[in-house]
Amino acid sequence: MPMPRWWAHMNKWTFNPAELKRGKRPVIIHVGRTSGREYQTPLDAFRVHGGYLFVPVYGVESDWVRNVLAAGSARLRTGGTEVVVTKPRLIDKATAFALLPEGTQRPSKWLKLEQYLLTDLAASAH
């Protein structure tokens, strides 16, 4: 089972603002499905061949996951740069783990995550 939803709500008001201020974690910038508002969510993102793999610690029903899937793209700020990610899709744990670079720490087993979000890196416009 992913982290409990109540924990996500608490983090939205405590952990997330602190992490955004620190600027150390990757941040996905996504648009709300119904509000049209832009949101910034700090999270775990791993560079994989051709794109990024995201760890939805609160499950794939999290707003940020649903927003990115609905929009078909998002922006990712990581390492001082911002990129566009496209073609979001859910993949299973075995596929996700096979994509992670050797030596990358896997999410804790107690989270029991079965799906991950994979995106492509948009081609840069020149």
Side-chain angles (χ1 to χ4, degrees), residues 9-123:
H9 292 294
M10 186 176 79
N11 275 344
K12 186 176 190 176
W13 303 109
T14 57
F15 174 79
N16 288 2
E19 286 301 306
L20 288 170
K21 186 182 265 189
R22 281 186 47 209
K24 303 277 186 193
R25 296 176 66 84
V27 174
I28 194 150
I29 303 158
H30 53 98
V31 176
R33 298 178 307 287
T34 56
S35 70
R37 180 177 162 209
E38 184 174 274
Y39 295 95
Q40 296 184 38
T41 305
L43 41 62
D44 291 327
F46 298 96
R47 182 77 167 97
V48 296
H49 180 74
Y52 281 88
L53 178 68
F54 297 91
V55 180
V57 296
Y58 300 109
V60 296
E61 292 300 316
S62 298
D63 283 332
W64 73 266
V65 175
R66 294 170 63 199
N67 289 344
V68 172
L69 288 169
S73 66
R75 297 185 338 259
L76 176 66
R77 189 170 53 236
T78 182
T81 62
E82 192 173 291
V83 297
V84 174
V85 292
T86 61
K87 300 179 186 156
R89 63 238 181 238
L90 298 176
I91 60 172
D92 64 48
K93 179 171 61 174
T95 303
F97 284 9
L99 293 172
L100 287 172
E102 187 68 33
T104 302
Q105 184 176 356
R106 305 313 195 237
S108 179
K109 288 181 183 181
W110 66 265
L111 286 174
K112 298 180 182 171
L113 297 175
E114 295 300 323
Q115 291 184 301
Y116 294 77
L117 184 72
L118 178 64
T119 62
D120 293 343
L121 189 57

